[in-house]
């Protein structure tokens, strides 16, 4: 038989799908399962437990395919690799609401939300379960239509760096060892007994209520409140505000109002 009129195969670029092609000049009366299997072997396609069914479908459909045109159909499928999932941290505590970053100070209450009561810090108590550490999963190798192994990647462990204020128990539960404010801003996650505010206590922070120390690097705006169980230090001007402390108040910038 002329080579141009012989069965041939085509493999997708990723190696996961193969087609059997019957050229337009092929004598369909000669089409047999054995001939199809020979074409697959010539194309380096692996025969497996689904090959017989796919060949039978190919032969059956070829009898009703238009004459004078090539006919092709999928004759083999590979199994893609299943890569493992990376580990991650599933936080269980309530995070501060994602409120407007720069509220209109002429409208302190918008859409029923008071920006005086805005919460931008995550306050936790000793014994709180902060998060679950989800471990990575192992990947499963695949196989292309030629029988070549397709290696899978295992998931990567999560880089959960923390100090002694957080305990990882049973390998997967992050538990608060002290009460305070959760700090996730640096490379090491920790709980601090001091809230530090780099700017003013104003609409960007809302009122401050905390069971530890509070340090304000600038000042406290009119009508805002600070309540702390321990010391409060304000390095800028305290306007017509209310400050309640269970420890010392250090007003380094003085008072106005």
């Amino acid at each position: 038989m002329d080579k141009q009129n012989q069965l041939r195969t085509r493999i997708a670029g990723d190696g996961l799908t193969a087609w059997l092609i019957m050229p337009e000049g092929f004598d369909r009366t000669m089409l047999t399962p054995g001939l199809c299997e020979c074409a697959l072997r010539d194309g380096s396609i692996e025969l497996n437990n689904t090959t017989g069914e796919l060949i039978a479908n190919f032969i059956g459909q070829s009898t009703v395919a238009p004459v004078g045109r090539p006919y092709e159909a999928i004759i083999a499928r590979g199994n893609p690799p299943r890569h493992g999932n990376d580990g991650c941290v599933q936080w269980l505590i309530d995070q501060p609401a994602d409120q407007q970053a720069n509220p209109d100070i002429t409208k302190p209450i918008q859409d029923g939300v008071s920006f005086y009561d805005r919460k931008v810090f995550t306050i936790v108590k000793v014994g709180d379960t902060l998060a679950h550490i989800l471990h990575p999963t192992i990947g499963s190798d695949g196989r292309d239509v030629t029988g070549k192994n397709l290696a899978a990647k295992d998931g990567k462990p999560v880089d959960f760096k923390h100090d002694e204020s957080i305990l990882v128990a049973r390998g997967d539960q992050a538990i608060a060892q002290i009460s305070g404010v959760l700090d996730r801003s640096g490379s090491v996650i920790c709980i601090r007994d001091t809230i530090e505010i780099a700017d003013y206590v104003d609409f960007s922070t809302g009122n401050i209520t905390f069971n530890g120390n509070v340090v304000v690097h600038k000042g406290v705006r009119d009508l805002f409140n600070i309540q702390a169980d321990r010391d409060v230090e304000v390095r800028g001007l305290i306007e017509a505000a209310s400050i309640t402390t269970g420890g010392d108040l250090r007003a380094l910038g003085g008072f106005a109002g």
Side-chain angles (χ1 to χ4, degrees), residues 99 108 113-120 203 205-207 224-225:
Q99 301 184 36
V113 176
S114 171
F115 290 106
Y116 289 103
D117 298 327
R118 190 181 195 199
K119 305 298 181 186
V120 297
F203 286 115
T205 64
N207 295 321
F224 284 90
N225 302 325

Side-chain angles (χ1 to χ4, degrees), residues 125-182:
K125 297 178 181 179
V126 61
D128 284 350
T129 300
L130 308 177
H132 284 158
I133 312 301
L134 301 184
H135 298 292
T137 59
I138 297 174
S140 175
D141 289 351
R143 195 176 182 88
D144 72 8
V145 295
T146 68
K148 178 183 176 182
N149 186 70
L150 302 175
K153 297 178 181 178
D154 294 338
K156 298 177 181 178
V158 63
D159 186 16
F160 185 73
K161 294 179 180 178
H162 60 91
D163 70 3
E164 64 277 2
S165 64
I166 298 173
L167 170 70
V168 176
R170 294 184 291 277
D172 63 358
Q173 293 187 25
I175 299 174
Q177 298 301 287
I178 64 172
S179 298
V181 58
L182 181 66

Side-chain angles (χ1 to χ4, degrees), residues 47-67:
L47 305 182
N48 54 41
N49 55 3
T50 66
T51 302
E53 180 181 351
L54 291 171
I55 287 176
N57 290 339
F58 180 87
I59 294 174
Q61 292 298 319
S62 69
T63 61
V64 295
V67 178

Side-chain angles (χ1 to χ4, degrees), residues 13-240:
D14 60 6
L16 293 175
T17 310
W19 291 265
L20 183 60
I21 303 169
M22 182 177 65
E24 60 182 70
F26 185 83
D27 183 357
R28 300 188 182 194
T29 62
M30 299 180 60
L31 189 61
T32 63
L35 191 62
C36 292
E37 289 183 5
C38 287
L40 296 185
R41 292 191 184 94
D42 290 343
S44 299
I45 296 171
E46 182 182 43
L47 305 182
N48 54 41
N49 55 3
T50 66
T51 302
E53 180 181 351
L54 291 171
I55 287 176
N57 290 339
F58 180 87
I59 294 174
Q61 292 298 319
S62 69
T63 61
V64 295
V67 178
R69 292 170 52 187
Y71 169 70
E72 67 177 64
I74 293 175
I75 203 66
R77 293 186 186 274
N79 295 312
R82 295 184 179 181
H83 301 300
N85 296 319
D86 291 342
C88 64
V89 179
Q90 185 180 64
W91 291 99
L92 304 178
I93 55 175
D94 292 333
Q95 298 295 299
D98 184 15
Q99 301 184 36
Q100 185 178 342
N102 297 296
D104 183 353
I105 62 174
T106 66
K107 300 176 181 178
I109 298 178
Q110 300 176 36
D111 298 326
V113 176
S114 171
F115 290 106
Y116 289 103
D117 298 327
R118 190 181 195 199
K119 305 298 181 186
V120 297
F121 300 102
T122 302
I123 309 300
V124 301
K125 297 178 181 179
V126 61
D128 284 350
T129 300
L130 308 177
H132 284 158
I133 312 301
L134 301 184
H135 298 292
T137 59
I138 297 174
S140 175
D141 289 351
R143 195 176 182 88
D144 72 8
V145 295
T146 68
K148 178 183 176 182
N149 186 70
L150 302 175
K153 297 178 181 178
D154 294 338
K156 298 177 181 178
V158 63
D159 186 16
F160 185 73
K161 294 179 180 178
H162 60 91
D163 70 3
E164 64 277 2
S165 64
I166 298 173
L167 170 70
V168 176
R170 294 184 291 277
D172 63 358
Q173 293 187 25
I175 299 174
Q177 298 301 287
I178 64 172
S179 298
V181 58
L182 181 66
D183 185 354
R184 297 169 55 188
S185 61
S187 59
V188 177
I189 299 170
C190 62
I191 300 168
R192 302 187 185 279
D193 63 1
T194 299
I195 287 180
E196 289 207 30
I197 299 168
D199 212 304
Y200 291 89
V201 172
D202 56 14
F203 286 115
S204 66
T205 64
N207 295 321
I208 303 297
T209 301
F210 186 51
N211 57 5
N213 306 301
V214 176
V215 176
V216 183
H217 286 260
K218 291 190 177 179
V220 183
R221 297 298 196 191
D222 282 344
L223 304 179
F224 284 90
N225 302 325
I226 297 177
Q227 296 183 34
D229 290 354
R230 295 168 64 182
D231 298 341
V232 174
E233 179 178 303
V234 181
R235 297 175 182 174
L237 183 65
I238 301 173
E239 301 178 18

